[in-house]
Amino acid sequence: MVTRNGQALVIAVLGLGEAGSAIASDLVTAGARVRGYDPAVTAAEPVIDTGSEAEAARGAHLVLSVNSAKAAVDALRAGLPGVRQAGRPRRGEGQGRSPRPDVLWADLNTASPGAKRQLADIAGTAGVAFADVAIMAPVPGRGLRVPMLASGTGAARYAAMLTSLGADIGVLDGPAGLAASRKLLRSVFYKGMAAAIAEALDAARATGDEQWLSDHIAAELAGMDATTLTRITDGTRRHAVRRTAEMEAAADMLTELGVPPLMADASRALHARLTGTDSR
């Protein structure tokens, strides 16, 4: 059993979907005492099932919110009473309670930097340290070892607490929202590229050229090196006029094939914006 200040390390996991359940299981294996809550899922032993966010957070040194960006604020507000119940009465406030000084709330959801800053403000007002945590790769197959970035007032403590259990965490020197920003910048690139490939293959399937295009894409990706980025960015701006017309033709072709040209038309619009001629 892992201990913290002479006590068993207690971690609450809010959200027991694919990511939350994998992380919770690895935390138990690493020696932490894990309390879980999910309104739609019963925690599987040895994770301790609880009936609410507040109950899961009660007595926890660390609370991991792994539900969804839409649920993150509600989960924090619902969990704070449990954090307070673990604290000591405030001086002059009778039975009112403040959070334990070592409790930390970490939000692992994919949300905008603004949403992370809102969460940090709510936690800070309640006297709770907060870590904005960005999960940088798929959790299945990696679990707790998935690469993460953390920022905010509780980032260093989050990393210190979990790296000893096997986590892979990079600490960013900056406020909540910075880790989210890094993840989403990567998402614009990576998910945008994936979406463009998916759309191109849909069109190739409609023309009977799917295997040819699959091989061509694989060869292009395999041939990329440190010079590829410069070539792409310089070429995009230098040839924006010609590429605007080319992507307009590509979007027209996809429409004729019955494939919605979402990425092709977005590419046309971006090239047109670079030339200052986008009027659509």
Side-chain angles (χ1 to χ4, degrees), residues 134-259:
I135 297 176
M136 302 300 289
V139 174
R142 295 180 177 88
L144 184 61
R145 294 175 299 281
V146 67
M148 292 181 262
L149 294 177
S151 65
T153 59
R157 181 143 46 105
Y158 175 79
M161 199 177 297
L162 292 191
T163 52
S164 63
L165 304 183
D168 177 5
I169 303 167
V171 177
L172 302 177
D173 184 15
L178 180 58
S181 176
R182 293 280 179 90
K183 173 170 183 171
L184 294 176
L185 286 171
R186 178 182 180 277
S187 296
V188 172
F189 151 64
Y190 201 87
K191 302 306 191 294
M193 177 181 67
I197 289 173
E199 182 171 291
L201 290 174
D202 283 346
R205 192 174 305 115
T207 64
D209 296 314
E210 184 178 9
Q211 187 59 55
W212 168 80
L213 185 58
S214 294
D215 293 342
H216 180 73
I217 292 171
E220 287 287 327
L221 293 175
M224 290 182 177
D225 58 24
T227 68
T228 301
L229 177 61
T230 299
R231 177 170 57 81
I232 289 174
T233 54
D234 288 353
T236 297
R237 296 182 182 280
R238 184 181 305 116
H239 305 297
V241 172
R242 174 176 60 79
R243 292 183 182 183
T244 298
E246 182 177 338
M247 293 314 298
E248 184 171 1
D252 289 344
M253 180 188 74
L254 265 64
T255 298
E256 293 170 6
L257 293 171
V259 177

Side-chain angles (χ1 to χ4, degrees), residues 50-121:
T50 63
S52 69
E53 292 91 346
E55 184 182 346
R58 191 172 302 130
H61 299 94
L62 172 64
V63 181
L64 305 182
S65 182
V66 202
N67 28 66
S68 71
K70 291 182 178 180
V73 170
D74 288 342
L76 174 55
R77 294 191 188 280
L80 284 175
V83 174
R84 288 194 177 282
Q85 288 172 12
R88 297 177 179 177
R90 291 175 177 172
R91 182 178 299 176
E93 291 190 6
Q95 295 303 311
R97 291 181 181 269
S98 60
R100 281 201 330 267
D102 63 340
V103 69
L104 172 63
W105 192 284
D107 187 89
L108 280 65
N109 298 298
T110 300
S112 70
K116 295 283 188 161
R117 289 191 290 269
Q118 180 188 8
L119 290 165
D121 287 344

